[in-house]
Amino acid sequence: MKTQSRISAGSYRSQGFIARYQKLIKDTVIPYQYSVLCDEAPDTEKSHVVQNFINAGRAVRGEDTGDGFYGMVFQDSDAAKWIEAAAFSLIAFPDQELEAQVDRLIDRIAAAQDTDGYLNTYFTIKDKEKRWTNLLEGHELYCSGHMMEAACAYYKATGKDKLLRVMERNAEHIYDRFITKGQAGYPGHPEVELALMKLYRTTGNQHCLELAEHFINVRGVDADFYKKEKEMRSWTVWGNNAEDNNYQQSGMPVRKMHTAGGHAVRAVYLYTAMADLASETGDTELYAACCRLWESITRKQMYITGGIGSTVHGEAFSVDYDLPPDTAYAETCASIGLMFFASRMLENDINGEYADVMEQAFYNTVLAGMQLDGKRFFYVNPLEVVPGISGISPTHRHDLPERPGWYACACCPPNAARLISSFGEYAYGADADTAYCHMFAAGTVSFENGMKLNCETEYPYGFTVTYRVVEGGGWLAVRIPRWSRHFSLSVNGADHVLAPEKGYVRIPVSDGDTVQLILDDTPRFIYASSKVPALTGCTALCRGPLVYCFEGADNDGDVLSIRLRRNGNITISAGTQAPLCNVVRLHAEAVRIGQQDALYTDVPPVYMPYTATAVPYYTWGNRGENQMRVWINEIL
Amino acid sequence: MKTQSRISAGSYRSQGFIARYQKLIKDTVIPYQYSVLCDEAPDTEKSHVVQNFINAGRAVRGEDTGDGFYGMVFQDSDAAKWIEAAAFSLIAFPDQELEAQVDRLIDRIAAAQDTDGYLNTYFTIKDKEKRWTNLLEGHELYCSGHMMEAACAYYKATGKDKLLRVMERNAEHIYDRFITKGQAGYPGHPEVELALMKLYRTTGNQHCLELAEHFINVRGVDADFYKKEKEMRSWTVWGNNAEDNNYQQSGMPVRKMHTAGGHAVRAVYLYTAMADLASETGDTELYAACCRLWESITRKQMYITGGIGSTVHGEAFSVDYDLPPDTAYAETCASIGLMFFASRMLENDINGEYADVMEQAFYNTVLAGMQLDGKRFFYVNPLEVVPGISGISPTHRHDLPERPGWYACACCPPNAARLISSFGEYAYGADADTAYCHMFAAGTVSFENGMKLNCETEYPYGFTVTYRVVEGGGWLAVRIPRWSRHFSLSVNGADHVLAPEKGYVRIPVSDGDTVQLILDDTPRFIYASSKVPALTGCTALCRGPLVYCFEGADNDGDVLSIRLRRNGNITISAGTQAPLCNVVRLHAEAVRIGQQDALYTDVPPVYMPYTATAVPYYTWGNRGENQMRVWINEIL
C-alpha cells in the first residue's frame, strides 16, 4: 500500500492566482449554483434539484410527492458536486451562512434516503420497482458516487459526519445488493468506484474498498451484460445502445484494456478508480493497464490544451491522432477527469509526467471552461472558432464561439467549481517524510507528516516560486516541469545544482529554510507530430503551463490570415483592459496575407509584416464572438 | 427563347481520352450494371430492379405479384439511368445486343405502366392507395423524371419511341393530377422538372413545359406544404423531417432564393431546371435567382475539385467557406448535377465561367467517382484521406480510402455512366451560325446548324487542340479556360491574335479550315481564400483542368510530412506502371519534415529536401489504401 503523495485533511489555504479563482468560485459560482439548485436563479431553466430531494423525502415517508421528479436521471449529482465545491471552499473561506445552506441541503438529502439505505430521487419518486434494473442508463451508482465524494469533502471541511453516515449506509445498501445478494452488473457511468475509494479512506469501512474492487473487477468480464440487462427490462432513459461496448467501456476486463476509448468522462473516471485501487492494493496487472491507458491518452489522443475526447459523437475518444482543432469536443469534465487520473497515477509513481499533464489540463481546458467572471461555462472546448461556421455548420454545431449560460445538463459548471475549490488536493501531496509540490500554488499548506510550507509565487505569470518551511522538516520534492528548458534552485540563498529525478528535485529541509525555484519564462513554439493530419504546418505558442491563442479582438478581427514566423521575436505585455487585466499577452513576429475575394486563385498570397497578439487560451471568448485559433500556420 | 448552345441529336463520336472512358463505360460499367439490375452480378446484393418491373406488370394485370417489391423507394431510377447510359453509348458504339437488352427492359417498363399512365413499381406493387400521398419521400416524380430522361436519350440514339410514348403518357397522368385536378405539392427530390424540359423539347408537348413550370413555380410558396402533407398521411419511408425546409429547398419561392443550401443533389437538380426554364421562357427574375445561386455555390461553397455539398449531415451544403478536405462529402452525383446546372447556365449566357466549372467538376470529382477499371465507385470524394482515421473516426466514417463496390443505394455509379456516355452533350453546343466548343473533346461532332467538326487533342494531358471543319461553316466559338494564363491560336497555320470575350474566341470558318489552339501547360500552384479556415497555409497543384493530389504510393507512404516549396521547380513525367499508365505525374520541389514520436514538442521540425510526386486527383485510390492529400502546406 502506497500513500506517498496523498494530501491530508484541511491543509491548503491559497493565495495569488489560485486564491483569486477560489474566491470567484466562492463569491459567484457557489451562490449562483445554489440558487439554481433551489430554482431561484433568474432567467434560468428550473433545475428542481432541491425539490426532488424534498419530494423523494415525502415518498419515503409515504406522503404525496407533490410535483414529482423533474430533470435528468442524474439530477441528484448537481447537489453533490455543489456540496463538494462548497466544502472545499469552506476550508479556504469559513462562512457560516454557506455552511448552514449545506447543512439544510444535507438534511433534505438524509430525509430522502429510504429505510434500506437507498438514495436516489429519480427512482424513489418515479418508480421504486425500477431500482437497479438499468445500470446502463440509470445513473444510480453515479449519483451515489458523487454524494459519497461530497460526504467525504464536507466531513474533511467541517468534521460533520451526517452526510458521511448517510452515504456509508448507502454504500452498505449497494454492498448488500451487489455483493451479498450477488446482483450482476456494473455502472454504465463509472464514478462510484473512485468515490468508494474515498469513502473507504475516510471511514475505514472495508466494504467500500471491496465494493470498488468488485465493480472494477467485474466490468467487461461479461461483455454482453448490458445487452442482457436490456432484454430483461421494458423501459429506457435515452435508448442507449446496450451493445456499444466501446462507448461504455464494457467490452473487455479492465486489466486487458490498452486503448483509451468511448465516452471520455466515463473512461477517465474509470481509469482514475483503477489507478486508485492499484495504488491501494499493489495490483501490478491493474497498474500496467493504467500505464497503457495513460500512454494511449497522452501520447496519441490529447489536445495540447489537455483536452480529451475529440469527437462530439458520443462525447468520446476518436482514434489515434484524430485531433481536429475546429470540431473538437474536449469536454471540460473530461479534462477534470484527466486531472483525477493523473493525480492517482502520481499515487503509484512520483513522476513529473503525470503532474505535467494535470497542470496542462487545469490551466488550459479546465479554466477555459469558465468565463472570467464565473458566470457562464463551456462544455465543449474547441481550439479554433470561426464565427459563421462554429456553432452553425452541422459538423461544428457543438463548438460555440461564446460560453452559454447554465445547461439543462449541467455537469461541467459544478464539476469545475469543485475542482478549482479543491485545487490543493492536486497541487500538493505527502508521505511520511516528504512534502510533494506537484503544481505551483501560492499559499500555505499543512502536510499530514507535520511539515508546514508557505509558497509565494505569481505563477502561472511569474516564474519564481519561493517555498518557506514554516514548521517541521524532512524532504521537499518539487516538480520541475518538462516545459522548463532550464531552471535554477537556491536553498537559503545559496545556489543548489540538482538534476531532477523523474521530474522532481528533492531537497532536505528544516524549519525556517527557504527554497527558491526559478523556472524558464521563455515563450515556446510547439509543434505537433506530423501524424496529426489536422495540425501539419502549424505551431502553437506557449509560456509556462499556459497555451496561448490568437483572437480576432487582438488581431484586427482576422486570425485566419496570420502566419507565425519560425523562431520569430516575441515580446510580452500585461493586459490592462478588462476583462483581461493582468493577463500576460504575447506579441509574436508574424505576417499577414493579403485579403483575396476569389475562392481560389493562382496568385500566391502576399505576405505583409505583422505583429500577432496572443492571449492565454483559458481567457478566450470573454470579449464577444470573434475568431480564435491556437494552431497557426508557420512560415520560415 | 434562346437555344444557342444546345447540341442536336446523335452528333458526337469521341476519340482520345473521352473515347477511352466511354469505351470503359460500354465494356465494363454498362454490362456490369445490367447484371446488377437483373440480379445476375456475382457477390453483389440483389437490386431486384428488373424483377420489380415484372412484378409491377403483374399487379397492373391483376396477377399475383410474386416476391413483391424490393429495394429503395427510388429503385426504378437505376433502370432509367442505365437506359440513358446505354442510349448515349449506342450513339458512339452501335451494339445490337445492348440495344436488344434495352428493348427488353423497355418492354418490362411499358408493361408496368398502369392504365391511367401511372408508372412506379414501389407504389404499384405495394399499395396503390398511397400514390401521391408522400411527395416528400415517395420519389414518384423523381423516378418518372429519370425515366423521361432515359426515354429522350433512347429516342435520340435509336429513333425508337416506345419508352418516349410511355413517358409522355406518364407526363399526362402527372399533368392530370397536378394541373387538371389541382393536387397541391411539388417533388421532395427535384428531377422531374429538368426531365420535363427534355421531354418537352423532344416531343413538343406543351403540357410538359407547363408542368415543369408549375412545379418550379409552386415550390416553397407554401413553406408548410410538407408539414401539412405529413399530417395527412399515416406512413413514412425514412421519417424525413417535413419541416427541414433547407434540406428540401422548400422554404421560399425559388425566385427568392439567394444561397445554395440543403441536400446538394436536390439543390443542383432544381437549379438546373430553373436555368433551363429561364432560357426557354426568358424569365429574367428566375434567371437572376439562378445567377445568385451559381455565385453562392462557385464562389463560397465549392471544392477545388468541383465537389459540392461539403457535409455528410444531409449530404448537404454547409455554410460559406466551410470546405474541410478530410471530412468532405462532395457526392459524385452532386458534381454531376453541378455540370447540369452549368450547362443550362450556358444556355442563358455563353460565358466561359460556366464551362470552366463544368470541366472542373468533370475531370476531378466526376471521374474520381469511378475506379480506373470501371469496377468500383466513390459516392463521397474527400480531398484528404489518412488510413487509420478516414473511414474509421466517427467524423470521417463516410470518407473511405478506397472505392467500395456497388451500393445498396446505387445512385452514383449509373449517374456517372450516363454522364460520361453523354459527354458530347456538355462539350459542344450550337446555334444557327455558331459551333461552340465548351470543353476540349477529341472526335467528330455534327451540329444541327450543318457544321461538322473534327477535333484532335490529347487533352487533358496534351494542350494542343486542332479543329478541322469537315462540313459547313459559320462561326467557331472556342472557350479559352480561365486557368490558361496564355494561349496561342492559328487559323490554317497563320497566327491569329484574338482576345477572348467572356471566355470564348470566335473565329469565322469555312469548310476545310483548320483552327489550332495551344493552351498553357504550366503546372499551377493554387491558393484558397483565407476565409476558408481548413485551407490556410496550403497550396494545391493543378495542370490544365486537372487538380493533382499527393498519394502515399508515390511519396514513401507519408504525405502528411510534405511541405511544398513556393514557386518551386516542377518536372513532369508520364506514368508507366498500371493502373496509372499514361497518366502525367508532377514532381514538385518540396521538403519533408523529420519523423517525431512525441505528440507535441518544442523542437521545430527539421526540413529535408524532397521531391514530392503528384498524380491527377481523379486517379487517386487506385493503388490500395494509402494517404492522399490535395492541399499541402507551403513553405517559402
Side-chain angles (χ1 to χ4, degrees):
Chain A
M1 172 169 157
K2 307 182 206 168
T3 55
Q4 65 268 42
S5 67
R6 196 160 297 131
I7 198 167
S8 67
S11 46
Y12 171 63
R13 285 175 197 268
S14 60
Q15 291 177 342
F17 186 87
I18 298 301
R20 288 192 293 277
Y21 257 101
Q22 291 189 340
K23 193 90 190 345
L24 182 67
I25 298 293
K26 179 200 161 31
D27 291 344
T28 302
V29 183
I30 289 175
Y32 179 72
Q33 293 188 354
Y34 186 69
S35 71
V36 171
L37 298 181
C38 300
D39 297 325
E40 289 165 2
D43 305 325
T44 302
E45 203 187 324
K46 76 168 175 177
S47 83
H48 214 253
V49 171
V50 171
Q51 195 61 47
N52 285 340
F53 282 107
I54 293 172
N55 293 349
R58 290 173 177 155
V60 165
R61 295 189 300 276
E63 300 166 8
D64 181 84
T65 58
D67 63 349
F69 180 90
Y70 176 86
M72 296 281 188
V73 68
F74 48 78
Q75 205 78 348
D76 291 359
S77 64
D78 283 1
K81 289 182 201 167
W82 179 81
I83 292 173
E84 200 182 348
F88 283 109
S89 180
L90 285 170
I91 295 174
F93 312 104
D95 179 330
Q96 288 189 343
E97 192 191 331
L98 176 59
E99 197 169 325
Q101 284 174 343
V102 177
D103 286 338
R104 277 201 302 279
L105 179 54
I106 288 174
D107 290 342
R108 304 284 196 201
I109 294 166
Q113 183 168 40
D114 213 335
T115 47
D116 61 357
Y118 184 84
L119 176 64
N120 185 291
T121 70
Y122 179 90
F123 290 91
T124 299
I125 295 171
K126 294 189 92 147
D127 192 348
K128 272 184 72 162
E129 295 307 309
K130 287 182 178 165
R131 286 179 179 187
W132 308 122
T133 60
N134 186 348
L135 299 184
L136 178 63
E137 303 174 308
H139 280 70
E140 288 156 290
L141 292 167
Y142 173 85
C143 289
S144 284
H146 274 299
M147 203 59 84
M148 289 171 192
E149 289 197 87
C152 295
Y154 196 60
Y155 174 72
K156 173 172 177 160
T158 63
K160 293 180 182 173
D161 69 351
K162 182 167 183 174
L163 188 57
L164 195 67
R165 294 310 149 208
V166 164
M167 294 319 297
E168 207 178 345
R169 276 186 63 214
N170 183 247
E172 290 292 357
H173 170 85
I174 299 168
Y175 185 92
D176 180 59
R177 187 98 205 178
F178 289 89
I179 306 277
T180 311
K181 297 204 174 76
Q183 173 169 343
Y186 43 90
H189 194 314
E191 152 65 25
V192 77
E193 304 89 336
L194 74 87
L196 283 164
M197 292 302 295
K198 282 191 182 176
L199 194 57
Y200 158 66
R201 294 212 181 90
T202 305
T203 64
N205 185 329
Q206 287 287 334
H207 278 181
C208 296
L209 176 61
E210 208 180 316
L211 197 50
E213 193 160 13
H214 169 77
F215 284 132
I216 289 170
N217 286 347
V218 299
R219 185 166 208 99
V221 171
D222 177 4
D224 288 333
F225 167 70
Y226 289 124
K227 191 178 156 200
K228 293 175 190 161
E229 184 194 64
K230 188 178 181 182
E231 285 161 5
M232 297 283 290
R233 63 175 149 89
S234 56
W235 66 286
T236 180
V237 179
W238 300 286
N240 274 21
N241 177 1
E243 296 180 50
D244 190 349
N245 281 329
N246 183 53
Y247 176 83
Q248 48 240 12
Q249 295 86 32
S250 54
M252 65 187 80
V254 299
R255 287 172 185 76
K256 304 273 184 213
M257 291 180 175
H258 44 80
T259 306
H263 186 270
V265 174
R266 293 173 197 234
V268 285
Y269 279 23
L270 172 64
Y271 307 157
T272 298
M274 288 162 61
D276 213 344
L277 184 66
S279 77
E280 189 68 34
T281 62
D283 182 331
T284 53
E285 197 185 350
L286 189 60
Y287 176 59
C290 293
C291 292
R292 289 194 300 272
L293 293 165
W294 175 266
E295 291 195 7
S296 169
I297 293 173
T298 60
R299 304 198 182 167
K300 292 176 179 172
Q301 301 199 70
M302 186 178 72
Y303 285 102
I304 191 176
T305 52
I308 56 171
S310 69
T311 177
V312 64
H313 301 280
E315 307 177 314
F317 288 103
S318 174
V319 292
D320 290 350
Y321 306 112
D322 184 25
L323 295 165
D326 57 334
T327 60
Y329 199 73
E331 186 180 333
T332 309
C333 286
S335 288
I336 291 171
L338 180 59
M339 291 183 66
F340 298 163
F341 184 26
S343 73
R344 304 313 192 278
M345 290 303 279
L346 275 172
E347 305 269 335
N348 285 280
D349 178 22
I350 296 290
N351 187 325
E353 178 180 341
Y354 302 121
D356 284 347
V357 168
M358 195 159 67
E359 183 179 62
Q360 191 174 4
F362 178 76
Y363 281 104
N364 301 293
T365 299
V366 176
L367 289 189
M370 189 167 72
Q371 197 160 275
L372 290 172
D373 63 5
K375 291 182 177 164
R376 301 172 81 88
F377 296 85
F378 275 136
Y379 204 92
V380 170
N381 297 281
L383 283 77
E384 168 176 309
V385 297
V386 177
I389 295 177
S390 303
I392 298 172
S393 153
T395 45
H396 296 66
R397 208 158 275 160
H398 55 290
D399 291 296
L400 306 178
E402 289 191 277
R403 290 166 187 81
W406 192 266
Y407 284 79
C409 171
C411 69
C412 293
N415 221 358
R418 71 180 182 130
L419 189 282
I420 293 169
S421 294
S422 63
F423 188 74
E425 303 284 304
Y426 305 91
Y428 291 104
D431 61 16
D433 61 358
T434 308
Y436 293 96
C437 302
H438 301 307
M439 294 193 282
F440 309 103
T444 308
V445 55
S446 306
F447 296 93
E448 204 173 32
N449 61 21
M451 219 192 296
K452 190 172 175 185
L453 209 61
N454 181 267
C455 173
E456 278 182 24
T457 183
E458 292 303 313
Y459 200 82
Y461 292 117
F463 291 81
T464 300
V465 188
T466 308
Y467 296 101
R468 198 159 45 81
V469 181
V470 193
E471 273 176 38
W475 291 88
L476 182 65
V478 181
R479 166 177 150 257
I480 306 299
R482 199 163 175 281
W483 54 255
S484 193
R485 281 182 271 200
H486 52 75
F487 68 98
S488 68
L489 193 71
S490 67
V491 179
N492 299 325
D495 284 354
H496 207 86
V497 178
L498 206 60
E501 275 177 62
K502 289 210 288 189
Y504 286 79
V505 289
R506 287 166 187 267
I507 309 126
V509 289
S510 319
D511 195 353
D513 279 355
T514 295
V515 174
Q516 190 174 70
L517 175 69
I518 301 174
L519 296 166
D520 182 6
D521 65 355
T522 320
R524 312 181 304 283
F525 289 100
I526 302 295
Y527 300 85
S529 165
S530 67
K531 290 175 184 161
V532 183
L535 304 181
T536 60
C538 291
T539 187
L541 208 48
C542 296
R543 183 172 181 251
L546 300 177
V547 175
Y548 274 69
C549 69
F550 296 80
E551 281 197 280
D554 305 301
N555 294 287
D556 304 304
D558 173 17
V559 303
L560 299 182
S561 67
I562 295 173
R563 310 280 179 271
L564 289 178
R565 178 78 65 187
R566 179 178 282 203
N567 296 325
N569 188 39
I570 297 170
T571 59
I572 284 169
S573 76
T576 52
Q577 282 190 317
L580 268 62
C581 297
N582 304 312
V583 161
V584 172
R585 292 158 195 249
L586 303 181
H587 309 281
E589 194 181 339
V591 298
R592 188 184 273 294
I593 65 164
Q595 281 301 324
Q596 175 206 310
D597 277 340
L599 185 54
Y600 304 109
T601 179
D602 59 2
V603 180
V606 174
Y607 289 167
M608 293 162 294
Y610 187 71
T611 301
T613 296
V615 295
Y617 174 75
Y618 80 85
T619 70
W620 87 271
N622 276 278
R623 293 172 291 173
E625 200 172 290
N626 72 161
Q627 291 183 3
M628 184 276 289
R629 250 188 183 178
V630 169
W631 292 96
I632 303 275
N633 300 108
E634 185 198 48
I635 58 158
L636 287 192
Chain B
M1 174 169 156
K2 309 182 205 169
T3 56
Q4 66 266 42
S5 68
R6 196 160 296 132
I7 198 165
S8 67
S11 45
Y12 171 64
R13 287 176 194 268
S14 59
Q15 291 175 344
F17 186 88
I18 299 301
R20 288 192 294 276
Y21 258 100
Q22 291 188 341
K23 193 89 192 342
L24 182 66
I25 298 294
K26 181 204 161 29
D27 292 343
T28 302
V29 182
I30 289 174
Y32 178 72
Q33 293 188 354
Y34 187 69
S35 72
V36 171
L37 298 180
C38 300
D39 297 326
E40 288 165 3
D43 306 325
T44 303
E45 204 187 324
K46 74 169 174 177
S47 82
H48 215 254
V49 170
V50 171
Q51 195 60 47
N52 285 339
F53 283 106
I54 293 171
N55 294 350
R58 290 172 177 157
V60 165
R61 296 189 299 276
E63 299 167 8
D64 181 84
T65 58
D67 63 351
F69 179 90
Y70 176 86
M72 296 282 189
V73 70
F74 48 79
Q75 205 78 350
D76 291 359
S77 64
D78 282 1
K81 290 181 201 168
W82 179 80
I83 292 173
E84 200 182 346
F88 283 109
S89 180
L90 286 170
I91 295 173
F93 312 104
D95 179 331
Q96 288 190 345
E97 193 190 331
L98 176 59
E99 195 169 326
Q101 284 173 343
V102 178
D103 287 337
R104 277 201 302 278
L105 179 55
I106 287 175
D107 290 342
R108 303 285 195 201
I109 294 166
Q113 183 168 40
D114 213 335
T115 48
D116 61 357
Y118 184 85
L119 177 63
N120 186 291
T121 69
Y122 180 90
F123 290 91
T124 300
I125 294 171
K126 293 188 96 149
D127 192 349
K128 271 183 74 161
E129 295 307 309
K130 287 183 178 163
R131 286 179 179 187
W132 308 121
T133 60
N134 186 348
L135 299 184
L136 178 63
E137 304 174 308
H139 280 71
E140 288 157 291
L141 291 168
Y142 173 86
C143 289
S144 283
H146 274 299
M147 203 59 83
M148 289 171 192
E149 290 198 86
C152 295
Y154 197 59
Y155 174 72
K156 173 173 178 159
T158 63
K160 293 181 181 172
D161 69 352
K162 180 167 185 173
L163 188 57
L164 195 68
R165 295 308 150 210
V166 165
M167 294 320 297
E168 206 178 347
R169 277 185 63 215
N170 183 246
E172 290 291 359
H173 170 84
I174 298 168
Y175 185 92
D176 180 60
R177 188 97 204 178
F178 289 90
I179 308 274
T180 311
K181 297 205 174 74
Q183 173 168 344
Y186 44 91
H189 195 313
E191 152 65 25
V192 78
E193 304 88 337
L194 74 86
L196 284 164
M197 292 302 296
K198 282 191 180 175
L199 195 56
Y200 159 66
R201 295 214 180 87
T202 305
T203 63
N205 184 329
Q206 286 287 333
H207 278 181
C208 297
L209 176 62
E210 206 181 316
L211 197 51
E213 193 161 15
H214 168 77
F215 284 133
I216 288 170
N217 286 346
V218 299
R219 185 165 208 98
V221 172
D222 177 3
D224 288 333
F225 167 70
Y226 290 124
K227 193 179 153 198
K228 292 175 190 163
E229 184 193 66
K230 189 178 180 181
E231 285 160 3
M232 299 282 291
R233 63 175 148 89
S234 55
W235 65 286
T236 181
V237 179
W238 299 286
N240 275 19
N241 177 3
E243 296 180 52
D244 191 348
N245 280 330
N246 183 53
Y247 177 81
Q248 47 240 13
Q249 296 87 30
S250 55
M252 66 188 80
V254 299
R255 287 171 184 76
K256 304 273 183 212
M257 291 181 175
H258 44 82
T259 307
H263 187 270
V265 175
R266 292 172 197 233
V268 286
Y269 279 23
L270 172 64
Y271 308 156
T272 298
M274 287 162 61
D276 213 344
L277 183 66
S279 77
E280 189 68 35
T281 62
D283 182 332
T284 53
E285 197 185 350
L286 190 60
Y287 176 58
C290 292
C291 292
R292 289 194 301 273
L293 293 165
W294 176 265
E295 291 196 7
S296 169
I297 293 173
T298 59
R299 305 201 181 165
K300 293 176 178 171
Q301 302 199 71
M302 186 178 72
Y303 285 101
I304 191 176
T305 52
I308 56 171
S310 68
T311 177
V312 64
H313 301 280
E315 307 177 313
F317 288 104
S318 174
V319 291
D320 289 351
Y321 305 113
D322 184 26
L323 296 165
D326 56 333
T327 60
Y329 199 72
E331 186 179 333
T332 309
C333 286
S335 288
I336 290 171
L338 179 60
M339 291 183 67
F340 297 164
F341 184 25
S343 73
R344 303 315 191 278
M345 289 303 280
L346 275 173
E347 305 270 336
N348 284 280
D349 179 23
I350 296 291
N351 186 325
E353 179 182 339
Y354 302 121
D356 283 347
V357 169
M358 195 161 66
E359 183 179 63
Q360 191 174 5
F362 177 77
Y363 280 105
N364 300 293
T365 300
V366 176
L367 289 189
M370 189 167 73
Q371 197 161 274
L372 290 172
D373 64 5
K375 292 184 176 162
R376 301 172 80 88
F377 296 85
F378 275 136
Y379 203 93
V380 170
N381 296 282
L383 283 76
E384 168 176 312
V385 298
V386 176
I389 295 178
S390 304
I392 298 172
S393 153
T395 45
H396 296 65
R397 208 158 276 159
H398 54 289
D399 292 296
L400 305 178
E402 289 190 277
R403 291 167 187 79
W406 192 266
Y407 285 78
C409 170
C411 68
C412 292
N415 222 357
R418 71 180 180 131
L419 190 282
I420 292 168
S421 294
S422 63
F423 188 76
E425 303 284 303
Y426 304 92
Y428 292 103
D431 62 17
D433 61 357
T434 308
Y436 293 96
C437 303
H438 302 307
M439 294 192 282
F440 309 103
T444 308
V445 55
S446 306
F447 296 92
E448 206 173 31
N449 61 21
M451 220 193 294
K452 189 172 177 185
L453 209 60
N454 181 267
C455 173
E456 278 183 23
T457 182
E458 290 305 312
Y459 199 82
Y461 292 117
F463 292 81
T464 299
V465 189
T466 308
Y467 295 101
R468 197 159 44 81
V469 182
V470 193
E471 272 177 40
W475 291 88
L476 182 66
V478 181
R479 166 176 151 260
I480 307 298
R482 199 163 176 281
W483 53 256
S484 192
R485 281 181 273 199
H486 51 75
F487 68 96
S488 67
L489 193 71
S490 66
V491 178
N492 298 325
D495 283 352
H496 207 84
V497 179
L498 205 59
E501 276 176 63
K502 291 210 288 188
Y504 286 79
V505 289
R506 285 167 188 269
I507 307 126
V509 288
S510 318
D511 196 353
D513 279 355
T514 295
V515 175
Q516 190 174 70
L517 175 69
I518 301 175
L519 296 167
D520 182 7
D521 67 354
T522 319
R524 312 180 303 284
F525 288 101
I526 302 295
Y527 299 85
S529 165
S530 68
K531 291 175 184 162
V532 183
L535 304 180
T536 61
C538 291
T539 188
L541 208 48
C542 296
R543 182 172 182 251
L546 300 177
V547 174
Y548 274 70
C549 69
F550 296 80
E551 282 198 280
D554 305 301
N555 294 286
D556 304 304
D558 173 18
V559 302
L560 300 182
S561 68
I562 295 173
R563 310 279 179 271
L564 289 178
R565 178 77 67 187
R566 178 179 281 204
N567 296 326
N569 187 40
I570 297 171
T571 59
I572 283 169
S573 76
T576 52
Q577 282 190 317
L580 267 62
C581 296
N582 305 313
V583 161
V584 172
R585 293 158 196 248
L586 303 181
H587 309 282
E589 194 182 339
V591 297
R592 189 184 272 293
I593 65 165
Q595 281 300 322
Q596 174 207 309
D597 278 339
L599 185 54
Y600 304 110
T601 178
D602 58 3
V603 181
V606 174
Y607 289 167
M608 292 161 294
Y610 188 72
T611 301
T613 296
V615 296
Y617 175 76
Y618 80 85
T619 70
W620 87 271
N622 276 279
R623 293 171 291 173
E625 200 172 291
N626 73 160
Q627 291 183 2
M628 183 277 287
R629 249 187 184 178
V630 169
W631 292 97
I632 302 276
N633 301 106
E634 185 198 48
I635 59 159
L636 288 191

